Amino acid sequence: MTITAPLVEENSSFSDVDYLARARDVARVVESEADAIESAATITEPVVDALTESNLFWMLIPTEWGGGGLDIVTAFRIIQEISRADGSTGWAFMANTCSMAVAAGFMTDAGAGELFTEPTRAITAGMVVPTGRGVRVDGGYRVSGRFQFASGSAHATHIGAGFVVHDEAGNPVLDAAGQPECRISFLPREQVEFLGNWTVMGMVGTGSYDYVVDDQFVPERHTMETFSTVPVRPEPVYQLGLLGIGVGGHAPVALGLAERALQEIADITASKMRPGYDGPVGESDLFRLDFVRNEALFRAASAYVYEVYGDAEATAAAGRPITDAQRARMRQAATWSQEVAASVVDFAHRWAGSATVRTPSALGRCVRDAAVATQHALIDRMTLVEAAPAIVPAYRNRGA
């Protein structure tokens, strides 16, 4: 499939564009390409073209650099819509846009501006956890390492590589707190060797390949502190931090999977007949009860995700620091939404019968994608345990 006309009209200002409407247009392209995306194990060219022409890749980049300058709730709703169309595409798109937002907000303006403005207009992907090694040299670092899970890398122009800083003698460099200094670098994809080993049960189309960086120079301006909590940009969205943006992006992917599962099972059961039912399965009281309970879970999770992220960004916009409790709730919402999505998708799978067994199947993809999405280390249930100390005290001694 090819796009015969740009999704954004010539001479129009991106600030005038309804990005959610553009996302719905792109979602139609994604749905038509979903089977091909799974076969190719990466987003296909028509979808990349659609995301590019609509400026959605750069939706969280500042407007002065030609980006959308969107707030986090609008950006997450767009990720949800793309994920509803196809989970793999939504995940890869999330990995691209969230890593770009982190780079724009926490890299120096000189470096980020160079990456994200014309003629570069970078799209980033890759692993930012400091598993590599970077030797400090004049003007930057020489980076090496083997990395995993480069979601969205097939269409990315620059690849992230997290590393621990070493001096020329090979010794780790320590920061003021006595901890190893860790940085994130972004390299042109030509400096990266991809291993092409993404053979998995779900999120097949994310192209989350392993890759190797072999002693490549990265200028200082194209790196940033891994654990920085202070953005260099003034836009409130960047005050959410690396975890708020990077981990938070998993929530709308989960919501998109749950939404699509509800849509698919409503259609499937409208005409599905089974022994023991007086008519179509979808008209039975048992199905209807199960459906409305799961639909309520989906809506509750959606409302909570957008409430906590919207509140946190509103706090930053008002010039106040985001509280520990707000940050804890962002982590809570990102993880809980995965659990809700897994439950909703499982409900749909059980009612679908053989409809999820045969391929290709949109609901079958949801089942496999949800099973993989819950395995990400940064939305492990332990994050709920870590969030609890900042959340529980608000419920103590309320009646005193």
Side-chain angles (χ1 to χ4, degrees):
M1 178 179 179
T2 59
I3 298 174
T4 57
L7 292 174
V8 178
E9 296 82 0
E10 288 187 31
N11 302 320
S12 69
S13 167
F14 282 123
S15 63
D16 296 332
V17 170
D18 181 343
Y19 275 79
L20 284 169
R22 298 297 174 184
R24 288 188 285 271
D25 289 341
V26 173
R28 286 190 282 272
V29 181
V30 172
E31 289 197 56
S32 70
E33 290 287 307
D35 294 341
I37 288 168
E38 186 158 56
S39 296
T42 189
I43 300 177
T44 57
E45 185 175 350
V47 173
V48 174
D49 289 345
L51 290 167
T52 300
E53 292 167 8
S54 63
N55 209 42
L56 290 182
F57 275 130
W58 301 278
M59 64 182 179
L60 285 168
I61 299 300
T63 54
E64 68 185 78
W65 295 342
L70 298 187
D71 62 277
I72 200 66
V73 169
T74 303
F76 279 8
R77 290 191 185 280
I78 288 169
I79 293 172
Q80 179 178 337
E81 175 62 13
I82 302 300
S83 300
R84 183 203 60 78
D86 176 59
S88 286
T89 305
W91 182 287
F93 172 66
M94 173 271 295
N96 295 140
T97 56
C98 289
S99 66
M100 291 159 66
V102 166
F106 289 84
M107 190 182 290
T108 65
D109 267 7
E114 181 179 0
L115 286 179
F116 298 121
T117 57
E118 296 286 1
T120 308
R121 289 283 275 172
I123 300 170
T124 62
M127 177 60 67
V128 297
V129 175
T131 57
R133 172 191 178 99
V135 178
R136 181 175 285 162
V137 295
D138 185 33
Y141 305 88
R142 299 208 64 92
V143 179
S144 299
R146 175 168 174 159
F147 305 86
Q148 293 182 299
F149 306 120
S151 300
S153 59
H155 53 271
T157 64
H158 289 71
I159 307 299
F163 62 90
V164 176
V165 179
H166 289 68
D167 60 25
E168 292 184 353
N171 301 308
V173 176
L174 303 183
D175 61 21
Q179 299 298 313
E181 182 181 335
C182 300
R183 299 190 72 80
I184 299 167
S185 61
F186 291 93
L187 303 86
R189 66 174 299 109
E190 295 77 16
Q191 295 179 235
V192 175
E193 177 189 359
F194 290 97
L195 303 182
N197 57 344
W198 186 244
T199 305
V200 289
M201 63 173 282
M203 292 295 179
V204 177
T206 60
S208 302
Y209 305 112
D210 290 8
Y211 59 102
V212 173
V213 176
D214 184 15
D215 192 32
Q216 296 293 324
F217 175 75
V218 184
E220 178 80 36
R221 67 183 182 280
H222 289 172
T223 73
M224 52 176 279
E225 292 181 28
T226 303
F227 304 112
S228 175
T229 58
V230 181
V232 299
R233 295 286 312 181
E235 291 84 355
V237 67
Y238 302 125
Q239 294 291 338
L240 298 174
L242 280 69
L243 288 178
I245 297 170
V247 178
H250 291 79
V253 174
L255 296 176
L257 290 172
E259 183 179 7
R260 184 58 179 269
L262 291 170
Q263 292 175 344
E264 291 296 315
I265 198 58
D267 286 340
I268 290 169
T269 56
S271 58
K272 186 176 185 63
M273 307 297 291
R274 265 187 175 174
Y277 293 81
D278 294 333
V281 170
E283 295 180 7
S284 71
D285 290 344
L286 185 59
F287 171 79
R288 287 171 172 171
L289 176 63
D290 217 1
F291 185 93
V292 297
R293 282 176 168 170
N294 280 275
E295 199 262 353
L297 279 173
F298 159 68
R299 287 190 172 275
S302 300
Y304 188 53
V305 166
Y306 294 123
E307 174 193 333
V308 298
Y309 281 89
D311 283 351
E313 188 171 356
T315 296
R320 301 191 304 271
I322 297 173
T323 67
D324 289 344
Q326 286 175 307
R327 295 192 184 279
R329 289 196 180 281
M330 286 191 285
R331 296 302 304 280
Q332 177 196 34
T335 299
W336 179 62
S337 62
Q338 309 300 317
E339 298 183 3
V340 169
S343 178
V344 170
V345 170
D346 182 62
F347 141 75
H349 171 57
R350 286 185 290 107
W351 278 102
S354 62
T356 59
V357 176
R358 302 180 189 277
T359 57
S361 158
L363 184 53
R365 277 196 300 272
C366 284
V367 172
R368 300 191 302 277
D369 290 347
V372 171
T374 58
Q375 302 309 303
H376 197 283
L378 293 178
I379 47 90
D380 185 89
R381 287 175 295 175
M382 186 55 71
T383 62
L384 298 177
V385 175
E386 294 168 350
I391 294 173
V392 172
Y395 289 89
R396 291 182 177 146
N397 302 316
R398 292 294 295 270

